[in-house]
Amino acid sequence: MNKKPVVLVTRKLPIAVEKKLAEHFETLLNPDDKLYTTDELLQLAENVDAILPCHTEKFSAQTIAQLPFRVKAIANFSVGVDHVDLEAAKLRQIIVTNTPDVLSDATAEIAMLLILGAARRASEGERLVRSQQWKDWSPAFMVGKQITGKRLGILGMGRVGQVVARRARGFDMTIHYHNRKPLQSSDTEGAVYHAAVEDLLAEIDVLSIHCPASDETRGLLNRQRIAALHANAIVVNTSRGAVVDDDALVEALKSGAIAAAGLDVYNGEPDAIHPGYRQLDNVFLLPHIGSATEETRDAMGYRAIDNLIAIFKGEEPGDRVA
Ligand code: 8YV
């Protein structure tokens, strides 16, 4: 019998996923969920055929160049692949895959939570109750923004963006979007396309960011574009912190140039995020939990396993990105 390929799993995955993986592969697991340094990662990769990492492990060109030639695949447990230098992987003929689709619903839920939380001052209210500072009620108390019937702008109308649009229609929101290309008219469900980001920003009440981090999108929401938003606007980000210029967003939130923000992803996450966010009352902050549901974690794992199975059968994996 042929020996099973060996897969290095960099983080603790759901039990069912680790079990399924072990049916097809020899596994090198991380039961303590230790965050490996790059040196540890390279050392562990010495005797494996593939790596199943999360976005917490960075595969720069330099790291990829140091991977043993035995490593044939990086099957990510993530939809975002900005932690992997795809060009470097291609050069080394390492196949890279991701896990699209299966986390769209979970991430859209968090986008809606952020929209509502930011609009209705959930963070501020929760802190008030917990700290026993809630002493009074009046009609002027904790008045927020109503989102029903407002205009939602979606930056990046891919899989997650489209689910958010659908959920937001349940709040009677009208949908505007910017994408590299307009969607086919059969898929837009009446959403209004804006070819220029600035035009989108000027038209909306809530902005929800869903584009991946790339050279084109890094710092896309910069000072000049934030200035195109109106003073009641709310900005929500569940994609990647890199899309936002933090100094500019913090400044706009502080000065009242925009009303509020809801963030699940950050530059410098987890422990080196812009300190300004922590000091502001008008931001609703979550710790990168867009896809963190039991169903989605399992589905992400199974999708990564399917990709690995295809790769080691010599077939084209369903979710190849490099
Ligand atoms: C994941 C994500 O939890 O899949 C992604 O790109 O950002 C998250 O929702 C994480 O990346 C797992 O590696």
Side-chain angles (χ1 to χ4, degrees):
M1 204 180 78
N2 284 341
K3 276 180 75 181
K4 287 177 182 172
V6 184
V7 177
L8 167 64
V9 181
T10 63
R11 304 301 302 264
K12 176 90 191 88
L13 297 183
I15 291 167
V17 172
E18 292 187 346
K19 206 167 147 226
K20 174 133 196 269
L21 188 70
E23 288 168 16
H24 301 271
F25 300 96
E26 287 296 324
T27 56
L28 198 53
L29 302 178
N30 181 357
D32 299 327
D33 205 20
K34 180 180 187 307
L35 181 61
Y36 297 136
T37 63
T38 301
D39 283 347
E40 287 168 331
L41 194 63
L42 287 169
Q43 209 168 6
L44 287 162
E46 275 305 321
N47 298 307
V48 306
D49 300 289
I51 305 175
L52 199 165
C54 290
H55 79 280
T56 44
E57 288 72 51
K58 312 293 175 214
F59 291 88
S60 65
Q62 203 190 359
T63 302
I64 287 176
Q66 291 178 74
L67 282 173
F69 282 102
R70 182 172 165 183
V71 174
K72 296 283 177 293
I74 298 175
N76 290 291
F77 184 89
S78 67
V79 65
V81 287
D82 48 301
H83 57 290
V84 181
D85 188 317
L86 299 181
E87 288 311 313
K90 275 187 212 160
L91 271 177
R92 281 289 300 269
Q93 297 185 317
I94 293 174
I95 297 174
V96 183
T97 58
N98 69 342
T99 58
D101 299 317
V102 291
L103 42 62
S104 304
D105 286 333
T107 307
E109 286 181 5
I110 289 292
M112 293 310 298
L113 177 63
L114 290 178
I115 292 171
L116 292 164
R120 302 302 298 271
R121 305 170 60 178
S123 206
E124 213 182 324
E126 218 245 2
R127 269 198 307 269
L128 212 59
V129 180
R130 276 186 192 278
S131 63
Q132 300 186 353
Q133 301 296 305
W134 181 30
K135 302 287 182 210
D136 191 15
W137 185 94
S138 88
F141 176 61
M142 291 245 9
V143 174
K145 309 267 175 236
Q146 188 153 311
I147 66 147
T148 302
K150 298 283 168 65
R151 299 162 299 176
L152 173 64
I154 296 191
L155 190 54
M157 194 63 142
R159 298 173 177 91
V160 181
Q162 289 178 45
V163 180
V164 172
R166 233 172 284 143
R167 304 291 175 262
R169 285 189 184 98
F171 284 91
D172 298 333
M173 298 187 88
T174 52
I175 312 299
H176 296 247
Y177 73 101
H178 168 81
N179 211 33
R180 271 177 305 180
K181 286 191 210 134
L183 298 188
Q184 303 242 314
S185 55
S186 53
D187 294 335
T188 59
E189 294 178 59
V192 182
Y193 178 65
H194 298 265
V197 181
E198 290 74 10
D199 294 345
L200 172 81
L201 299 176
E203 275 293 311
I204 56 169
D205 303 297
V206 179
L207 175 72
S208 193
I209 301 173
H210 298 288
C211 47
S214 68
D215 288 344
E216 294 86 63
T217 63
R218 207 153 282 124
L220 185 70
L221 193 67
N222 58 18
R223 186 164 278 108
Q224 175 209 339
R225 294 207 174 94
I226 290 172
L229 290 162
H230 64 66
N232 287 319
I234 291 168
V235 170
V236 161
N237 189 6
T238 51
S239 69
R240 284 292 183 267
V243 181
V244 173
D245 173 341
D246 291 322
D247 282 336
L249 185 59
V250 166
E251 202 178 289
L253 287 161
K254 243 189 213 167
S255 69
I258 65 168
L263 305 173
D264 185 48
V265 288
Y266 310 83
N267 289 298
E269 65 179 60
D271 52 357
I273 71 169
H274 194 295
Y277 291 130
R278 296 200 185 91
Q279 286 153 17
L280 289 165
D281 267 340
N282 53 347
V283 289
F284 183 49
L285 305 173
L286 292 176
H288 199 148
I289 54 168
S291 61
T293 67
E294 289 168 9
E295 295 86 342
T296 293
R297 288 284 180 252
D298 283 352
M300 290 168 76
Y302 297 146
R303 190 105 177 193
I305 294 172
D306 287 346
N307 286 322
L308 282 170
I309 291 173
I311 292 166
F312 286 99
K313 269 189 184 165
E315 294 168 4
E316 186 65 13
D319 306 312
R320 185 169 184 167
V321 292

